[in-house]
Amino acid sequence: MNLAEKQKQITAQLGALKNGQDRLAFLVDKARSRPNFAPELRMEKNLIPGCLARLWFVADFRDGHCFFNCDSDSLIVKAVAGFLCDFYSGHAPPEILAHDPAFLAPLGITQHLTPNRRNALARVWDHIRQFAAEHPIHPVPNPNHLTAAAPKP
């Protein structure tokens, strides 16, 4: 499923809830079941700076796709950051870079966040975007199509 399809599915799922506050509560409930990071991942180098709550973020690149995970000592931050990580995980860098998370605003999720929590959400998006930009997909040459260099005269 591509990000546009994923967005439609999430928009329908969250849109079925009464209001933005109920949608945020739904994300918080999901965050409760997210596993906490192991102590070795809760290190300084994985902290996203500038957030009031501690927010750890790790990214991985496998088989041409980006994978993201996060943890926080704030359940609401863990909920919204985890939502972004889940949304973008498993997708190729060009698709990630072409799909801004602005679709969250009409769902009423961002309006119910404090400015500091909106800041955390923006910082997670910055880290996701930066990681994707650092891992462009380069076509791997097919060894069956390699041609021998022409002999020199």
Side-chain angles (χ1 to χ4, degrees):
M1 174 182 318
N2 66 32
L3 286 175
E5 294 165 339
K6 217 179 206 183
Q7 178 182 330
K8 282 182 187 176
Q9 182 183 43
I10 288 169
T11 300
Q13 182 182 29
L14 293 176
L17 299 172
K18 193 164 103 177
N19 57 43
Q21 210 149 18
D22 288 347
R23 294 173 192 131
L24 184 57
F26 172 79
L27 294 180
V28 168
D29 280 343
K30 282 186 74 168
R32 284 187 174 97
S33 64
R34 288 182 78 84
N36 292 326
F37 271 9
E40 60 270 12
L41 292 177
R42 285 183 167 230
M43 59 174 80
E44 189 75 26
K45 76 172 192 161
N46 292 334
L47 277 173
I48 293 183
C51 300
L52 288 180
R54 290 183 301 170
L55 174 58
W56 296 274
F57 175 86
V58 293
D60 189 26
F61 188 73
R62 299 185 309 270
D63 301 322
H65 296 89
C66 299
F67 296 88
F68 308 102
N69 202 354
C70 68
D71 193 8
S72 178
D73 52 10
S74 162
L75 191 55
I76 292 176
V77 170
K78 184 175 183 171
V80 294
F83 173 78
L84 275 187
C85 288
D86 291 346
F87 183 75
Y88 287 105
S89 282
H91 294 276
E95 185 181 12
I96 291 168
L97 294 170
H99 202 94
D100 185 279
F103 71 93
L104 293 176
L107 293 173
I109 292 171
T110 56
Q111 292 88 329
H112 293 284
L113 297 175
T114 65
N116 290 324
R117 289 180 177 144
R118 278 194 301 271
N119 181 42
L121 188 65
R123 289 182 183 273
V124 169
W125 167 238
D126 288 344
H127 276 69
I128 288 171
R129 187 178 61 230
Q130 180 180 352
F131 185 83
E134 291 170 357
H135 293 85
I137 296 178
H138 298 292
V140 178
N142 182 339
N144 297 328
H145 290 98
L146 296 178
T147 57
K152 292 185 181 181

